[in-house]
Amino acid sequence: KWTDSERSTIQSIFSKIDKDVVGPAAISRCLIVYPWTQRYFGSFGNLYNAAAITSNPKVAAHGKVIVEALEKAVQNMDNIKAAYAELSVLHSEKLQVDPGNFKLLADCLTIVIAAQLGNDFTPDVQATFQKFMNVVVSSLEKQYY
Ligand code: ZNH
């Protein structure tokens, strides 16, 4: 259940961020600081070091796909689990991503968005964003159980 203030906070975050920067920056950061997450991206080519990751066009494109998926969650805030049902099956059955990794990417997204919003990322905004990402992560995990 979301309060009106939480809804407008989430919408405001997504209206302020530069999506073309946040997605690629967050997935790059995840691949760099948690290098074991690279194992799922064998088809992405060179992920040899931080410079290779941040300049890899497939990584950047995938970052944008992830932000688009988050926007779908924003548009379906009352039904994120249903909106993500297919995506959860894909990650579980086809991609076989260890679900612990969702939280790691969520944390990278939080760090990148915090850096981009600066003073606008107040403790209240942070708490609401955390709640939102927790729902996103648990929705992605749903088909694992
Ligand atoms: Zn993921 C894919 C989302 C996390 C891995 N993904 C994907 C997609 C999407 C997503 C939308 C596309 C699908 C289709 O195509 O249909 N993810 C997402 C989200 C999240 C995620 C929202 C959180 C937040 N992922 C993740 C992680 C990982 C992953 C953590 C690992 C580590 N994904 C993945 C892969 C893929 C995907 C591998 C495939 C890619 C390609 O392109 O191939």
Side-chain angles (χ1 to χ4, degrees):
K1 284 266 176 279
W2 303 95
T3 66
D4 288 347
S5 141
E6 286 171 335
R7 286 175 203 278
S8 60
T9 297
I10 293 299
Q11 262 145 26
S12 152
I13 293 170
F14 280 85
S15 72
K16 284 177 190 164
I17 59 174
D18 182 344
K19 290 150 198 162
D20 292 347
V21 173
V22 162
I27 183 72
S28 297
R29 188 181 187 96
C30 186
L31 292 167
I32 293 165
V33 300
Y34 309 114
W36 57 89
T37 60
Q38 294 171 17
R39 68 190 297 261
Y40 304 105
F41 299 97
S43 66
F44 278 26
N46 184 4
L47 303 175
Y48 183 67
N49 57 25
I53 290 169
T54 49
S55 65
N56 184 312
K58 288 185 176 169
V59 170
H62 188 56
K64 289 178 195 173
V65 168
I66 284 173
V67 173
E68 280 160 18
L70 294 180
E71 288 182 314
K72 184 178 179 187
V74 175
Q75 280 145 25
N76 294 276
M77 270 182 81
D78 295 308
N79 225 336
I80 297 178
K81 286 196 166 60
Y84 272 22
E86 229 177 279
L87 201 53
S88 180
V89 173
L90 179 83
H91 283 81
S92 159
E93 290 173 15
K94 181 160 176 256
L95 302 171
Q96 300 189 326
V97 172
D98 183 315
N101 291 317
F102 298 141
K103 173 92 168 64
L104 303 179
L105 180 60
D107 286 346
C108 290
L109 281 158
T110 304
I111 291 164
V112 169
I113 288 173
Q116 205 172 87
L117 295 190
N119 289 335
D120 286 352
F121 203 73
T122 63
D124 278 357
V125 170
Q126 188 272 338
T128 302
F129 187 69
Q130 208 71 55
K131 179 175 168 182
F132 173 76
M133 287 311 300
N134 287 343
V135 177
V136 164
V137 167
S138 65
S139 302
L140 280 170
E141 287 170 346
K142 185 144 190 282
Q143 302 299 326
Y144 282 77
Y145 303 112

